[in-house]
Amino acid sequence: MSARPLPSSRRRVRSLAGQLFVVQIVIVAAVVAGGAVLAYLFTASRAEDAARNQVIAVARSVADSPSVREAATGPDPSAVLQPYAQQVVAHTGVSFVTVMDTHGVRWTHPDPAQIGKPFLGHIDRALAGQTWTETYAGTLGSSVRVVTPVLDADRHVTGLVSVGILVRSISDQLRAPLLALAGVALAALALGGLGSYLVGARLRRHTHGMGAAELSHLYEYHQATLHSVREGLVLLDRAHRVVLCNDAARELLGLEGELEGRPIAGLELPESLVAAVLAPEPARDEVHLTAERVVVLNTSAIGAGLGSVITLRDHTELQALTGELDSVRGFTEALGAQAHEAANRLHTVVSLIELGRHEQAVEFATAELALAQRLTDRVVAAVGEPVLAALLLGKAAQAAERGVELTLTEDSRIDDGVLPPELPARDLVTLLGNLLDNAVDAAVEGAADRADAPEVTVTARVEDDRLLLRVADTGAGIDPRAVEDVFRRGWTTKRSGHGLGLALVAQAARRNGGTVEVGRERGAVLTVRLPLQRAGVTAR
């Protein structure tokens, strides 16, 4: 079965810019046409009103003229009034001036043949003493005319005056304004069309010629892509306000609620992270700590100064694995050192036997074995949790290699199975491993300033349904003024280091609902308390 062939040509969907251009042209044309019609009607009405006012003024002037009043009662009114009426027509611009008797018989007319014939129009109101205007079709055509009475000294009507302007004359007067109006309308239409074209062209350039449906689909794809990627993405505008924050970024930064439009500095993020985002130079793979995560930050500016893009990667797991790798490396180095020491002791025993000093060889071997086994027995007896026991033994070997004595207090005890499964072993390694590393470093550095041997004391026990881990050293201690900054990334008392260990300790403690306290005895004392019943487990 063959596939159905596609049509040779498809109707191209008009772009959004093209649709807007058509709509704008229609609107502009409608507005211009409506404006032209209204302007025409207004101008025509004004012209008709002006013509009516003009004929009323001329008619009253003629009716009030003494010569007209006198001729109306004279023996031959036409002989006197016909030249006068023609002069008035010539000087005032009206179409006709007709003077008649009270019966409507014309005394004057632009066409002398119409003199003596009856006036075509209404004269009843004029005979009653009123001035009457109307539009009427007479012998000259349709005109706007007025009929007013001629009154004698006793206010009796002795004649009538009709003055009119032909409608075609009014139309001739409107021709020039209407042509100008048509020109303005066409110019407005052309200007509106040009503006619409330019706006449409710019919109077409920005929308890449796509239609409304295509733009809608592109937006949906864009949103789906941004919210599905595992990397955190935050877009900021020029004022460092949030334009977009995808789901991964919300999770990594612990953000909730409506974020769009809020400044990045007002989101309660770590100061170091906010400072890196607001810095003028871009950030490249910078490590920052949030309340519960280790994130890698990258920032870059958007072209034309529109804002900046922030990308975040979760390195919490990687950082924990790195800590575990460091512990394993430490164990390896400790085993190597122990193997070296064991070889030296074995050579000593063999040499004593070869020299025939068997009793001294047995005494030396027994003493060394007891010394090496004492800490192992103490740790294994007190700490039943395998991860903590292994970590303590490895760190003890490392400390011994550096000349530091690591001891476990007598009240330390953690039975196997006490710690809930929801408490990750990786976090235990992060907590105790970093505390021990910092304590050993501090004890070694402090040994140069005091005569006492460097020592590190560890307490690990369950207390009030909480796991207590306390590490004390004989170092210089922590300045009370710096307690607030101890767990901030970058803080360190070492001559070299990144200041990340204690920050990771605080983060791991918060992640598991625990606390970290800083104290001082001979040196620094750091205490971590983690709840055991948080996951529904009761300590034994």
Side-chain angles (χ1 to χ4, degrees):
M1 182 177 177
S2 61
R4 184 179 178 180
L6 295 173
S8 58
S9 62
R10 297 176 58 188
R11 181 176 63 87
R12 186 178 183 275
V13 179
R14 186 181 295 274
S15 67
L16 179 61
Q19 296 176 20
L20 290 178
F21 175 71
V22 172
V23 171
Q24 287 173 338
I25 287 295
V26 171
I27 293 175
V28 170
V31 171
V32 170
V37 171
L38 291 176
Y40 168 75
L41 295 176
F42 177 75
T43 304
S45 176
R46 291 291 299 272
E48 187 173 347
D49 291 342
R52 186 174 287 108
N53 293 333
Q54 183 180 0
V55 296
I56 290 174
V58 173
R60 287 178 176 174
S61 297
V62 172
D64 293 339
S65 173
S67 58
V68 173
R69 291 179 177 179
E70 183 180 351
T73 58
D76 189 5
S78 295
V80 177
L81 297 176
Q82 177 69 7
Y84 176 74
Q86 291 178 346
Q87 290 180 1
V88 171
V89 170
H91 288 92
T92 60
V94 297
S95 299
F96 65 86
V97 176
T98 298
V99 185
M100 67 198 85
D101 61 15
T102 54
H103 299 289
V105 178
R106 301 185 184 100
W107 289 334
T108 64
H109 196 276
D111 181 6
Q114 300 295 328
I115 296 175
K117 294 182 179 181
F119 174 74
L120 300 180
H122 302 90
I123 61 174
D124 296 341
R125 293 189 179 185
L127 290 175
Q130 300 179 13
T131 298
W132 168 254
T133 61
E134 64 178 345
T135 300
Y136 195 86
T139 57
L140 300 178
S142 181
S143 63
V144 176
R145 59 176 63 183
V146 63
V147 181
T148 189
V150 178
L151 304 175
D152 60 10
D154 296 326
R155 307 298 295 175
H156 295 144
V157 178
T158 59
L160 302 173
V161 176
S162 177
V163 178
I165 297 178
L166 296 176
V167 173
R168 64 174 176 268
S169 297
I170 299 176
S171 299
D172 292 340
Q173 295 176 7
L174 288 175
R175 183 174 292 110
L178 288 177
L179 290 176
L181 178 61
V184 172
L186 291 175
L189 180 61
L191 184 60
L194 178 61
S196 299
Y197 174 78
L198 294 177
V199 172
R202 182 175 182 181
L203 183 60
R204 188 180 299 108
R205 185 169 60 252
H206 287 299
T207 59
H208 302 285
M210 289 185 290
E214 294 173 311
L215 288 174
S216 177
H217 294 161
L218 183 63
Y219 175 78
E220 296 297 334
Y221 297 148
H222 170 267
Q223 291 294 315
T225 302
L226 289 179
H227 290 285
S228 64
V229 296
R230 296 190 61 184
E231 276 198 350
L233 179 65
V234 182
L235 302 183
L236 303 180
D237 61 12
R238 294 185 180 91
H240 304 293
R241 293 187 296 263
V242 177
V243 177
L244 182 143
C245 181
N246 69 351
D247 298 339
R250 287 174 176 269
E251 182 180 357
L252 289 175
L253 299 177
L255 301 176
E256 296 180 354
E258 185 64 29
L259 300 178
E260 283 71 15
R262 295 177 59 184
I264 190 70
L267 299 182
E268 298 182 359
L269 298 176
E271 294 181 4
S272 61
L273 191 147
V274 174
V277 170
L278 300 181
E281 62 276 358
R284 291 290 180 267
D285 294 331
E286 291 189 7
V287 178
H288 292 271
L289 273 72
T290 65
E292 296 183 355
R293 295 182 181 273
V294 180
V295 297
V296 176
L297 172 73
N298 283 275
T299 63
S300 62
I302 302 176
L306 296 179
S308 58
V309 179
I310 303 171
T311 58
L312 303 162
R313 298 196 307 275
D314 187 3
H315 270 219
T316 306
E317 299 293 326
L318 180 60
Q319 190 66 45
L321 290 174
T322 302
E324 292 184 10
L325 180 61
D326 290 341
S327 297
V328 172
R329 184 182 297 112
F331 297 158
T332 304
E333 293 175 355
L335 289 174
Q338 291 295 322
H340 181 71
E341 289 296 320
N344 290 336
R345 295 187 185 102
L346 182 59
H347 289 156
T348 302
V349 171
V350 171
S351 298
L352 288 173
I353 292 174
E354 289 177 348
L355 293 174
R357 299 179 177 271
H358 301 87
E359 294 181 0
Q360 289 87 343
V362 172
E363 183 181 351
F364 177 81
T366 303
E368 288 296 323
L369 181 60
L371 181 63
Q373 192 65 28
R374 189 180 303 123
L375 179 61
T376 301
D377 292 341
R378 177 76 187 95
V379 171
V380 171
V383 181
E385 184 63 34
V387 173
L388 290 180
L391 180 64
L392 285 171
L393 290 174
K395 293 299 182 182
Q398 284 183 287
E401 182 72 13
R402 299 181 62 182
V404 177
E405 182 181 358
L406 191 151
T407 59
L408 190 65
T409 60
E410 294 296 330
D411 58 347
S412 296
R413 184 169 186 81
I414 300 177
D415 295 332
D416 189 13
V418 168
L419 302 184
E422 289 78 8
L423 181 60
R426 183 173 297 165
D427 284 351
L428 293 176
V429 171
T430 298
L431 288 166
L432 190 54
N434 281 289
L435 290 178
L436 289 173
D437 287 341
N438 284 350
V440 170
D441 291 339
V444 171
E445 291 185 6
D449 302 326
R450 57 202 309 174
D452 299 340
E455 296 180 10
V456 171
T457 304
V458 179
T459 302
R461 68 171 182 266
V462 175
E463 180 181 90
D464 298 330
D465 293 335
R466 290 185 295 178
L467 173 64
L468 182 144
L469 300 175
R470 178 181 289 119
V471 178
D473 61 64
T474 57
I478 297 175
D479 190 337
R481 294 173 296 180
V483 170
E484 294 295 331
D485 299 327
V486 166
F487 303 107
R488 179 174 50 82
R489 176 183 177 272
W491 187 93
T492 182
T493 59
K494 302 176 185 178
R495 296 183 178 87
S496 63
H498 302 290
L500 191 60
L502 290 180
L504 291 173
V505 168
Q507 185 189 71
R510 283 194 302 268
R511 188 162 53 241
N512 292 280
T515 60
V516 184
E517 298 176 1
V518 179
R520 183 183 180 89
E521 292 177 358
R522 295 172 61 190
V525 179
L526 284 94
T527 305
V528 176
R529 290 182 173 87
L530 301 177
L532 298 182
Q533 292 185 348
R534 176 167 167 261
V537 178
T538 303
R540 297 194 298 270

